[in-house]
């Protein structure tokens, strides 16, 4: 199946946390999502992602400043299923077979506070255990489970550098 997965991050951070945000983007990119929607204030991350794409390939994109409500509305209008990750949702292991059947998905993750409406507007509220942890971990596990591990074999196309997997040390080739 030619699956399309996008990611939306909602909710305010009281303290700016660029590292978490960058990791959310890098995990989305590495594990098979095509786009992440972020708030307006997060401009710095775009430069980082452009550099990562130039160095390691692919065309993963961060889209800034579209209100979360509009991202969800537009996603539904194009037949995309909205899957909100929350510790209060239904266990991932009980729903993953159903999620694997969906061709277009919007995975929604929060910061510390997620507006109540997100729970109601989502097609699915999904928990990766019913314990509190992290949006990065929840996203990574969900991407991995939905794609049955196929994302681990993804190719990223033309790049400046390419890693030669090695049992010890670092082997990197510069592409001509
Ligand atoms: C710091 S947590 C806040 C925990 C929040 N009370 C919740 O609803 O899951 C930030 C984000 O991590 C994700 N998250 C944390 N624990 C999770 C879990 N067990 N299952 C799914 N997502 C989780 C959610 O997307 C949440 O909005």
């Amino acid at each position: 199946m030619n699956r399309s997965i996008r990611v939306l991050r909602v909710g305010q951070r009281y303290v700016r946390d660029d590292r978490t945000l960058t990791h959310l983007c890098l995990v989305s990119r590495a594990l098979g999502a095509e786009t992440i929607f972020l708030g307006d204030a997060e401009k710095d991350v775009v430069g980082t992602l452009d550099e990562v794409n130039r160095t390691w390939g692919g065309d993963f994109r961060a889209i800034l400043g579209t209100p979360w409500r509009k991202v969800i509305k537009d996603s539904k209008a194009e037949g995309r299923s909205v899957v909100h990750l929350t510790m209060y949702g239904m266990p991932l292991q009980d729903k993953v077979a159903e999620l694997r059947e969906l061709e277009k998905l919007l995975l929604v993750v929060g910061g510390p506070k997620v507006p109540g409406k997100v729970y109601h507007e989502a097609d699915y509220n999904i928990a990766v255990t019913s314990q509190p942890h992290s949006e990065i971990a929840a996203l990574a596990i969900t991407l991995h489970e939905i794609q049955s591990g196929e994302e681990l074999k993804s190719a990223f196309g033309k790049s400046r550098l390419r890693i030669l997997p090695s049992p010890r040390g670092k082997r990197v080739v510069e592409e001509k």
Side-chain angles (χ1 to χ4, degrees):
M1 180 200 293
N2 204 2
R3 204 182 269 113
S4 158
I5 305 180
R6 298 178 179 170
V7 176
L8 164 67
R9 180 178 167 278
V10 293
Q12 299 293 327
R13 282 223 170 259
Y14 306 112
V15 180
R16 220 183 128 95
D17 183 356
D18 287 345
R19 201 169 146 80
T20 302
L21 194 67
T22 304
H23 286 186
L24 211 47
C25 294
L26 293 178
V27 162
S28 300
R29 174 186 171 275
L31 300 185
E34 59 191 38
T35 299
I36 188 167
F37 294 93
L38 302 171
D40 222 354
E42 285 135 1
K43 295 194 173 65
D44 298 354
V45 85
V46 173
T48 308
L49 286 175
D50 285 346
E51 183 53 30
V52 170
N53 287 342
R54 262 197 304 279
T55 308
W56 300 108
D59 55 4
F60 180 82
R61 281 203 316 142
I63 297 177
L64 306 188
T66 312
W68 66 262
R69 239 179 247 277
K70 177 162 168 51
V71 177
I72 289 181
K73 191 165 169 245
D74 292 352
S75 296
K76 286 185 167 183
E78 61 150 336
R80 195 170 286 276
S81 301
V82 177
V83 180
H84 172 222
L85 304 184
T86 165
M87 63 194 272
Y88 303 106
M90 301 305 291
L92 176 63
Q93 64 273 25
D94 294 352
K95 290 286 177 184
V96 70
E98 207 175 315
L99 299 180
R100 282 181 187 144
E101 297 299 316
L102 304 172
E103 250 178 73
K104 295 199 278 185
L105 299 97
L106 180 74
L107 299 184
V108 184
V109 294
K113 186 108 181 81
V114 174
K117 287 229 154 117
V118 174
Y119 291 78
H120 295 286
E121 292 186 16
D123 297 304
Y124 298 87
N125 287 291
I126 296 293
V128 182
T129 78
S130 301
Q131 301 295 324
H133 51 86
S134 134
E135 56 266 47
I136 302 169
L139 180 66
I141 290 173
T142 303
L143 284 167
H144 183 64
E145 285 292 323
I146 287 176
Q147 297 171 99
S148 311
E150 287 299 312
E151 80 290 351
L152 298 178
K153 304 175 215 158
S154 296
F156 282 78
K158 193 169 154 19
S159 62
R160 187 170 67 76
L161 299 180
R162 185 165 54 86
I163 291 173
L164 299 177
S166 164
R168 233 163 261 111
K170 303 177 188 173
R171 294 171 69 207
V172 181
V173 289
E174 195 147 348
E175 302 285 9
K176 298 276 173 327

